Amino acid sequence: MLPVYEAIITNPGLTNQKRYYRDGEAARQQELALKSLGSEGLFLFSSLDTNNDLYLSPEEFKPIAEKLTGVAPVSEFEEEETPDPGGETLSVVAKFQPLVMETMTKSKDGFLGISHVALSGLRNWTAPAAPMSAMLATQFKAFLPPKNKLELGDPWWIIPSELNIFTGYLSNNRFYPPPPKGKEIIIHKLLSMFHPRPFVKTRFAPQGAVACIQAISTFYYTIAFRIHAEFQLNEPPRFPFWFSPGQFTGHIILSKDSSHVREFKLFVPNNRSLNVDMEWLYGASESSNMEVDIGYLPQMELESTGPSVPSVIHDENGNVIDSRDPSGEPIQFVFEEITWQQEIPWEEAARKLEVAMYPFKKVSYLPFTQAFERAKAEKKLVHSILLWGALDDHQFRKQGKPLSVFLSPAPGSGRTLRETVLESSPILALLNESFVSSWSLVKELEELQSNNENEFYSKLAALHLEKYTFPVEMIICLPNGTVVHHINANYFLDITSMKPEDVESSIFSFSSNFEDPSTATYLQFLKEGLQRAKPYLQT
């Protein structure tokens, strides 16, 4: 006879009974929690209950404890770090200009239907949380390259991206960032100068931080970096409000042993008319309605006031001396000039980081007007993508649709196009061979169309906008702006989610050469454009 414990394990009936009991018990506990806390109280509880066991561990309760006491305990990683009393410190200043509310699309109707409470966290954020901070130079060692990444422009991940289109996304129902670990700590500390609740790992891919060497000298590196991070602007009892800059980028010049930082700068690029994505919930559950908008942030940057300097100064005999001279003035340090032995331009380093984050950028996407000039010179077609939000910034995820539409490959998801079709090898090859590519914001083309200084550019913008349908339009056109083919992202993703035999249109057909129907269909779209343009290109 089998032992009792083996009999229980091998009896499927009993196993099912136990599972049903657990499921029923979980539902009962959930119901009791809802009765005790109400929907909004349960919403807050769930945002802290990260393992969904309906109990708050000390680690899960930590954000509330820190909020109530005003004391944040030092993380385990930081406790292991023993500050060098003779080490150098770097002074960093934060510069911040709040979002221009008039650039939000919701401002066009006076934020009709949007409560003042929903936007309160955004409206109240008018200055950096910490205008200045002193940091140990050695903390910046997180930016140093690994031993196998010592070539110029060879990117590595400071904080690896753990998400992709197949893994899904992280919960929107959160208020407080998880404790940073390892190399996340310095990024979290820097971003906390802007706002007290930075999330160094974003909810959507691509997450993380990537870097590469821009310049090398005997003792120093210049490291270029790009970070995708976001902020939670609200706290209970309000609902979450996510503020997601398109990217943080910048550079650091530091010694190879991280004992000295010569220069540091981090900023959100402001060269385009829109550079921030915002999302906020309207209910006490993950499936609640979510508003989405985009806007323009004029300034968000951190910069060192000068090189890092010793915290304690010693004379030639090792004795500690006063940091001020006899007249009371601070001692002035003189730093040697760095002679760079190898270097690449900033634009090249930034592109390497961009391609690491977005493989589809192996194809160059030129500014709108430059694309047409290049196409004319090379006698190629223009492959243009016209959209509501940026294609190569982290902000471009949902294109203003209800959140549920964009959590997986679904109609209207520019993120889906970016992470599948546009980075597939056959598409990259054909685009590089036969097209000049560009992407543009609708807002920018509307401005270009109304600009009377250049009639040709105005006409190009008008021809594009005539074909545009929300949220994303893919367009193929001649160098003179004539559109020969176009397809809306919603329609494209609709037909590629259908079985080949169910597609009635003969315009887009599936090819047996590729298993992925979206790649095959986009390839067919591009080839159709080339075919339609032949009569024009031959004249």
Side-chain angles (χ1 to χ4, degrees), residues 35-334:
K35 288 181 178 178
S36 299
L37 301 173
S39 60
E40 294 188 6
L42 182 59
F43 177 74
L44 171 58
F45 184 92
S46 300
S47 73
L48 300 169
D49 184 21
T50 56
N51 60 0
N52 298 315
D53 63 354
L54 288 176
Y55 291 94
L56 291 186
S57 67
E59 185 67 24
E60 291 171 329
F61 185 72
K62 186 189 294 185
I64 295 296
E66 293 175 4
K67 183 67 178 175
L68 294 175
T69 63
V71 177
V74 178
S75 71
E76 293 178 5
F77 182 87
E78 289 179 310
E79 287 176 347
E80 295 172 3
E81 293 287 316
T82 303
D84 179 4
E88 297 188 0
T89 58
L90 184 74
S91 294
V92 178
V93 295
K95 301 174 184 177
F96 179 81
Q97 294 181 43
L99 187 98
V100 180
M101 301 295 290
E102 292 75 23
T103 61
M104 294 176 66
T105 57
K106 302 290 191 298
S107 71
K108 294 179 180 178
D109 57 9
F111 297 100
L112 184 66
I114 299 176
S115 69
H116 181 77
V117 173
L119 300 179
S120 59
L122 176 64
R123 293 184 186 278
N124 294 335
W125 189 19
T126 59
M132 177 173 283
S133 180
M135 303 184 186
L136 293 173
T138 53
Q139 289 182 291
F140 290 86
K141 69 181 180 181
F143 288 92
L144 285 175
K147 293 180 180 179
N148 63 338
K149 294 290 183 179
L150 300 180
E151 297 294 324
L152 293 176
D154 188 7
W156 71 89
W157 291 91
I158 299 174
I159 302 174
S161 180
E162 298 176 351
L163 299 178
N164 55 48
I165 197 166
F166 303 106
T167 57
Y169 67 104
L170 299 180
S171 172
N172 297 297
N173 176 17
R174 292 180 296 163
F175 292 98
Y176 303 105
K181 300 176 181 178
K183 294 179 180 180
E184 298 172 9
I185 291 176
I186 182 62
I187 306 294
H188 183 272
K189 188 168 185 176
L190 288 165
L191 296 181
S192 294
M193 292 182 66
F194 295 121
H195 192 278
R197 291 183 296 281
F199 283 72
V200 297
K201 288 186 176 177
T202 52
R203 293 161 297 146
F204 295 88
Q207 298 176 305
V210 66
C212 71
I213 299 176
Q214 186 187 343
I216 302 174
S217 79
T218 304
F219 300 109
Y220 291 91
Y221 292 122
T222 296
I223 305 295
F225 58 83
R226 175 171 176 150
I227 300 168
H228 286 183
E230 55 190 348
F231 301 88
Q232 176 52 245
L233 303 193
N234 281 351
E235 288 187 279
R238 298 171 185 145
F239 299 125
F241 186 109
W242 293 94
F243 186 93
S244 309
Q247 61 165 299
F248 293 89
T249 190
H251 72 275
I252 180 171
I253 301 175
L254 77 166
S255 63
K256 293 180 178 180
D257 64 358
S258 75
S259 63
H260 177 68
V261 176
R262 182 60 61 90
E263 187 175 298
F264 176 81
K265 185 170 184 178
L266 172 152
F267 63 97
V268 173
N270 60 1
N271 57 316
R272 299 199 78 115
S273 58
L274 299 166
N275 59 359
V276 176
D277 173 85
M278 291 158 284
E279 299 135 20
W280 58 98
L281 288 173
Y282 269 127
S285 73
E286 188 70 38
S287 60
S288 298
N289 290 333
M290 174 176 271
E291 286 278 4
V292 180
D293 209 335
I294 48 181
Y296 179 69
L297 185 71
Q299 185 180 41
M300 190 176 196
E301 64 181 68
L302 301 176
E303 189 169 13
S304 55
T305 58
S308 61
V309 295
S311 305
V312 179
I313 306 172
H314 297 87
D315 63 17
E316 58 218 12
N317 298 318
N319 300 314
V320 176
I321 61 175
D322 197 339
S323 60
R324 296 182 178 274
D325 62 23
S327 65
E329 293 295 321
I331 292 178
Q332 298 297 313
F333 293 91
V334 178

Side-chain angles (χ1 to χ4, degrees), residues 166 409 416-417 420-422 424 426-427 474 487 491-503 507-526:
F166 303 106
T416 301
L417 291 173
T420 54
V421 172
L422 294 179
S424 67
I427 302 300
M474 291 84 82
I487 182 173
Y491 176 66
F492 172 79
L493 292 172
D494 277 344
I495 63 172
T496 55
S497 64
M498 297 168 62
K499 295 179 181 179
E501 59 269 22
D502 295 335
V503 180
I507 298 177
F508 301 102
S509 59
F510 293 96
S511 167
S512 59
N513 295 331
F514 299 100
E515 294 181 1
D516 176 26
S518 59
T519 296
T521 305
Y522 205 83
L523 198 65
Q524 186 68 21
F525 163 65
L526 295 176

